[in-house]
Amino acid sequence: MLTPRHFEHIMSLGQPWEHQHGRISLDNSNSHESNLLEYEAFDVLSPRGPLDEGLSVLSVDMRVAENRKDHYTDNFKSSSLIVRRNKEFTISIKLDRAFSAEQDDVQLEFLIGELLSPNDNKGTYITVSIGKGKHNRHWKGRVVEIQGNEVTVGITPNASCIIGRFRTFVAIVTDFGRQRTQRNQDTDFYVLFNPWDPADQVYMDKEEDRQEYVMNDVGIIYNGEYNNISSRSWNFGQFEEGVLDACLMVMDAGKVPLLFRGNATEVVRQGSALLNAQDDKGVMVGNWSGDYSSGTAPTAWTGSPEILLKYASEGCEPVSFVQCWVFAGVMNTFTRCLGIPARVITNFFSAHDNTGNVKTDIVLDKDGKIDRSRTKDSVWNYHCWNEVYMKRPDLPENFSGWQVVDCTPQETSDGLYRCGPTSVNAIKEGELSYPFDAKFVFAEINSDLIYHKADKLGNMKIIYVDTAYVGKLILTKKKDSSRYEDITSNYKYPEGSLKEREAMQMAERRGVSSRDYLPLAEAGVTIELQADTIKMGENLKLTLNIKNQTSQTCIISAIITGCVAYYTGVTSTTFKFENKSATVEASTSESDTSYMPYLVEQSNLLFVVYGQVEESETSLSTMRVVNLHPPELTIKVNMTGSPMVGKELMVSVEFLNPYNFILQKVNLRIDGPGLILTKLKYYSQILPGASVKYKVLLIPRFLGKKVLMACLDCPLLRQVTNQLEFEVVKDENRNDLKE
């Protein structure tokens, strides 16, 4: 009797003949479904010999170079064939005699997933027939050309087929049985989503969009704060060796059903859960504690390949540690690698609404300081997520296009830490009843910032509401540029406009709590904090501006609290607590300036002002984040003329410690897709006033614009980054180069 173990053994070795009459029913034990595939069993014990006029396969050529160029996959650092859905690729089959379409029955078999459970109905077992037995069900096949004993076959995977790695077998079917080629990893190939094809779910109609959101392997991620935007380059590296296999391994380790893998909506939703390790053994461990001693600091990473390859090579163990921009960078790699257009988004002043009421509640104690024990919500200086581009067949047509997906673990969705995909257009219109997680994303950009004041007995009262603080600015990298694009208007209508009010009313009809706390009594006085842009180590100048818009003189008392803060809005050390009082004439303004010594270890300072107008007994409040710039990291190319493909290039990275204390446990990373694999240099210490210089030799592999990036990181100094862009030109002595 032929057992499933025999079948697995045979499929791996490729036993040449199978018995015509023997059959075996194979159950997909993982799917718990009753659809079984009757698969003809191989006769292991007594294979039939070749027939006098039989047809045999001598070799199979996957035509890797030609096919990959046609399928826009020739940038992948892999020797395997990689194709895209609904686009023909060709395979050349060499036979021991000429092929006859009238007499011969040749079947190409493509399998994905477990060999014990190939299933024609589920798309995990595909047969494409040429010749007299032609009966293709899923994929198209045709004879392209016959030259002597070689037949070239065109294969077209359908527009909704499973993406992943397929095995290839060629079978000759006769009245006496089936002769199948042996298992050969060289004939394995990958199928990806196809944004070039209108029938594919992820189709984009503009080539410039596809080049930016699918093919670009390096990007810029924006951070800092609304008034002081910073940026850092990121190596997406979706074409680097091993990255495609690592992305598929993420889905395998997460047991994503193969049936889901043809649906881009499911792939990104599953990916948003699997890329964080909050409630499973996902790819990355988030850490916002400030203690990264048992892993790598989130600020030290320069790109996704190092993280994904570490995860894959260490048995799918989660990688420590990351924060939101790293989650977004790796998600961008995951999606672009699989063929889904994607981009990284930064939302400045992003609300994290723990209570789900689309209100961000800030509780001040009796002294005017933030009461952390009673403040459950927070406003992040910035938060990064992703947008992916796709049709949403489960939604009304106008809600296709860009979708928000976020793998930073903030809140659970259907029992797992994940978010999205949810339509950007739906968010803008307040249509929050469609899947997935629209209400949470709406709150991130539209929450009202509500200040509560607790009295001595702990009773709370709303003292001030800021309806315009959250979601101030939403950015992404501009196409074919190193500048940013403001896409705030994609998410929300102008503050106070009729359209904005209509969208909020729609959101309330879809379950968002109404603004029953508005309007509050107008104070007639506004306060604003201003701060200069400075580097770490410089004194900070902080100015409080008070504007009296009433017709009478007002006396304003204010309390200013300054805290060291993480970019998530969570505060730690309080370094400033000051009472101010000012008399402001009608329709005039007053300013008060103070100076503070620097705090080198932290790059984010949060100031909160609580003020009261004595005449009207009305309250007002505001917050201001100050982001301190780190010292400079210098990258230089040491050569004359332009860098050339295949020619050695010396690069140096330099850093001077400008402080009066020792920097210890310093890590320096250098990275650049198409230029160099991630290199790490460790310094046990850098003395005050001392400098370090790290030289590295690299050889550019491709033509065109390239980005080299560097990052210096240590416990006392984070986010020291720089990047260098340059054009790699052709060596006139070579003509075998490509971009």
Side-chain angles (χ1 to χ4, degrees):
M1 177 180 177
L2 187 62
T3 67
R5 186 176 297 277
H6 286 133
F7 183 86
E8 184 179 27
H9 175 70
I10 293 162
M11 289 297 285
S12 64
L13 297 179
Q15 182 70 24
W17 282 94
E18 58 180 302
H19 196 281
Q20 178 188 6
H21 304 294
R23 287 186 175 273
I24 182 171
S25 294
L26 298 175
D27 183 11
N28 184 350
S29 58
N30 292 325
S31 67
H32 305 291
E33 296 181 17
S34 59
N35 290 333
L36 304 181
L37 169 69
E38 283 197 326
Y39 201 88
E40 292 189 39
F42 289 20
D43 190 340
V44 197
L45 304 177
S46 56
R48 294 179 182 270
L51 304 177
D52 291 340
E53 297 183 5
L55 185 66
S56 295
V57 178
L58 301 181
S59 64
V60 178
D61 180 4
M62 302 302 286
R63 300 170 64 90
V64 173
E66 303 97 311
N67 285 321
R68 283 178 48 163
K69 186 174 182 180
D70 290 342
H71 285 251
Y72 310 103
T73 59
D74 50 339
N75 282 356
F76 280 93
K77 315 301 186 297
S78 169
S79 59
S80 298
L81 175 61
I82 305 170
V83 301
R84 298 190 186 274
R85 304 195 301 190
N86 208 39
K87 184 174 179 62
E88 185 179 75
F89 64 96
T90 54
I91 300 175
S92 293
I93 305 168
K94 190 173 182 179
L95 306 167
D96 64 345
R97 64 164 172 79
F99 170 76
S100 170
E102 292 75 24
Q103 298 178 12
D104 298 324
D105 185 0
V106 177
Q107 293 185 0
L108 287 87
E109 301 173 320
F110 306 112
L111 293 91
I112 188 170
E114 293 294 331
L115 288 173
L116 288 179
S117 54
N119 193 306
D120 181 54
N121 293 325
K122 297 176 182 177
T124 60
Y125 170 64
I126 308 291
T127 57
V128 176
S129 300
I130 58 173
K132 67 177 185 179
K134 188 171 183 179
H135 52 277
N136 301 329
R137 179 180 172 190
H138 296 291
W139 295 6
K140 297 176 185 176
R142 69 184 182 99
V143 175
V144 176
E145 184 181 34
I146 300 175
Q147 281 192 349
N149 292 0
E150 187 169 279
V151 56
T152 299
V153 181
I155 304 294
T156 305
N158 66 27
S160 59
C161 79
I162 296 167
I163 60 105
R165 181 171 178 162
F166 284 81
R167 306 169 187 85
T168 303
F169 299 92
V170 180
I172 309 297
V173 181
T174 71
D175 293 338
F176 297 93
R178 175 191 300 262
Q179 183 188 31
R180 176 183 281 112
T181 53
Q182 293 187 6
R183 169 81 169 92
N184 181 358
Q185 290 190 2
D186 291 340
T187 62
D188 288 358
F189 67 99
Y190 300 82
V191 179
L192 305 180
F193 292 102
N194 189 356
W196 281 264
D197 189 85
D200 199 291
Q201 186 184 354
V202 302
Y203 172 65
M204 292 190 103
D205 61 351
K206 293 181 180 178
E207 179 61 20
E208 62 183 21
D209 289 346
R210 294 189 290 259
Q211 289 301 317
E212 179 67 46
Y213 303 126
V214 181
M215 302 300 289
N216 196 352
D217 58 0
V218 65
I220 298 172
I221 300 177
Y222 297 97
N223 53 31
E225 53 100 10
Y226 167 70
N227 295 289
N228 185 13
I229 298 168
S230 302
S231 66
R232 62 182 298 166
S233 290
W234 190 263
N235 175 13
F236 297 130
Q238 66 267 35
F239 304 122
E240 295 299 314
E241 185 176 359
V243 169
L244 175 55
D245 284 321
C247 291
L248 296 175
M249 189 181 292
V250 170
M251 291 194 287
D252 291 341
K255 296 181 172 55
V256 177
L258 288 170
L259 280 176
F260 286 8
R261 302 190 195 186
N263 183 335
T265 307
E266 284 288 355
V267 168
V268 298
R269 181 150 177 81
Q270 297 286 332
S272 73
L274 295 173
L275 289 180
N276 72 71
Q278 190 74 8
D279 46 17
D280 52 25
K281 289 185 66 176
V283 177
M284 295 171 284
V285 179
N287 184 344
W288 288 265
S289 70
D291 178 9
Y292 315 119
S293 56
S294 59
T296 300
T299 47
W301 302 108
T302 53
S304 309
E306 183 181 3
I307 294 170
L308 287 166
L309 296 177
K310 180 178 174 66
Y311 171 79
S313 65
E314 296 182 358
C316 299
E317 283 296 317
V319 178
S320 300
F321 295 104
V322 306
Q323 291 175 0
C324 74
W325 70 91
V326 186
F327 278 118
V330 176
M331 184 69 180
N332 223 54
T333 300
F334 176 80
T335 47
R336 286 189 186 182
C337 185
L338 299 179
I340 302 172
R343 58 188 186 182
V344 176
I345 308 299
T346 302
N347 176 37
F348 288 93
F349 296 148
S350 187
H352 183 182
D353 175 23
N354 282 292
T355 52
N357 59 2
V358 196
K359 300 176 180 68
T360 301
D361 298 299
I362 305 297
V363 180
L364 306 180
D365 63 17
K366 60 182 178 60
D367 296 322
K369 294 185 290 187
I370 293 179
D371 186 340
R372 276 293 151 205
S373 65
R374 305 179 76 173
T375 300
K376 305 303 180 184
D377 297 336
S378 61
V379 179
W380 297 27
N381 300 352
Y382 63 91
H383 177 51
C384 297
W385 60 66
N386 300 85
E387 285 179 1
V388 292
Y389 194 88
M390 63 181 63
K391 298 184 185 76
R392 287 293 299 271
D394 56 326
L395 304 183
E397 186 176 353
N398 58 319
F399 295 148
S400 290
W402 289 114
Q403 314 285 317
V404 173
V405 60
D406 189 352
C407 61
T408 299
Q410 296 182 87
E411 299 294 329
T412 58
S413 171
D414 294 334
L416 297 174
Y417 279 93
R418 58 182 168 187
C419 180
T422 188
S423 167
V424 173
N425 290 341
I427 294 297
K428 183 174 183 177
E429 301 299 333
E431 287 281 8
L432 309 184
S433 58
Y434 296 111
F436 299 89
D437 310 310
K439 185 184 289 187
F440 182 80
V441 178
F442 185 85
E444 289 183 296
I445 62 172
N446 286 299
S447 278
D448 288 341
L449 190 62
I450 304 175
Y451 293 89
H452 303 258
K453 182 75 160 55
D455 60 21
K456 294 180 179 180
L457 300 176
N459 300 314
M460 287 197 299
K461 174 185 176 183
I462 295 177
I463 58 170
Y464 186 68
V465 177
D466 191 339
T467 61
Y469 186 85
V470 168
K472 282 273 194 185
L473 183 65
I474 304 174
L475 301 180
T476 191
K477 177 187 174 297
K478 196 172 185 178
K479 286 183 292 187
D480 195 28
S481 172
S482 57
R483 298 181 179 180
Y484 62 72
E485 178 183 0
D486 182 352
I487 59 169
T488 311
S489 61
N490 291 2
Y491 281 83
K492 55 201 298 190
Y493 290 103
E495 186 72 28
S497 67
L498 175 61
K499 283 285 191 179
E500 190 258 351
R501 288 196 295 274
E502 290 174 349
M504 185 59 70
Q505 289 168 0
M506 177 61 74
E508 291 175 0
R509 289 198 292 272
R510 297 292 183 257
V512 170
S513 301
S514 62
R515 292 166 150 176
D516 52 9
Y517 43 82
L518 293 177
L520 293 179
E522 292 288 339
V525 176
T526 60
I527 55 176
E528 180 189 28
L529 280 173
Q530 289 184 335
D532 295 336
T533 299
I534 64 169
K535 291 183 178 180
M536 298 178 190
E538 297 176 347
N539 287 345
L540 174 66
K541 177 183 176 182
L542 186 71
T543 301
L544 174 64
N545 293 324
I546 305 171
K547 186 175 183 179
N548 181 4
Q549 298 170 310
T550 70
S551 57
Q552 62 181 22
T553 300
C554 294
I555 299 174
I556 294 95
S557 59
I559 300 172
I560 302 175
T561 305
C563 305
V564 175
Y566 299 103
Y567 82 98
T568 57
V570 176
T571 59
S572 57
T573 309
T574 298
F575 62 87
K576 181 180 179 65
F577 183 76
E578 186 176 2
N579 288 286
K580 296 280 188 182
S581 181
T583 301
V584 186
E585 300 293 332
S587 303
T588 61
S589 300
E590 290 286 339
S591 297
D592 187 272
T593 301
S594 57
Y595 293 86
M596 281 156 289
Y598 58 80
L599 289 91
V600 176
E601 309 85 14
Q602 301 292 337
S603 59
N604 293 303
L605 308 177
L606 174 66
F607 295 93
V608 178
V609 179
Y610 166 66
Q612 192 166 35
V613 181
E614 291 187 7
E615 286 73 17
S616 60
E617 295 187 350
T618 53
S619 300
L620 59 163
S621 191
T622 190
M623 292 194 299
R624 174 66 193 265
V625 175
V626 177
N627 181 252
L628 307 180
H629 285 194
E632 187 176 6
L633 186 66
T634 304
I635 310 177
K636 294 180 180 178
V637 174
N638 303 313
M639 68 171 297
T640 57
S642 299
M644 292 188 291
V645 173
K647 294 287 187 180
E648 290 185 346
L649 180 66
M650 182 66 73
V651 173
S652 62
V653 180
E654 300 178 42
F655 174 77
L656 169 69
N657 179 3
Y659 306 118
N660 60 2
F661 54 83
I662 300 172
L663 297 176
Q664 296 180 318
K665 299 179 180 179
V666 181
N667 287 301
L668 175 63
R669 273 180 172 78
I670 301 178
D671 202 356
L675 294 171
I676 188 174
L677 296 176
T678 307
K679 281 192 173 292
L680 177 62
K681 176 70 174 176
Y682 177 77
Y683 298 94
S684 60
Q685 63 179 23
I686 302 177
L687 297 174
S691 62
V692 293
K693 185 174 184 178
Y694 181 44
K695 292 184 177 181
V696 62
L697 193 66
L698 55 88
I699 302 176
R701 294 178 290 179
F702 298 107
L703 298 172
K705 186 178 73 174
K706 302 299 171 189
V707 179
L708 187 70
M709 56 202 78
C711 177
L712 183 139
D713 195 88
C714 68
L716 287 180
L717 191 61
R718 307 290 189 193
Q719 295 274 34
V720 184
T721 66
N722 201 357
Q723 55 275 331
L724 180 67
E725 292 188 14
F726 53 85
E727 194 79 17
V728 177
V729 300
K730 183 177 180 180
D731 181 351
E732 296 301 328
N733 297 320
R734 298 182 63 183
N735 55 16
D736 59 338
L737 305 175
K738 65 177 181 178
E739 293 189 11

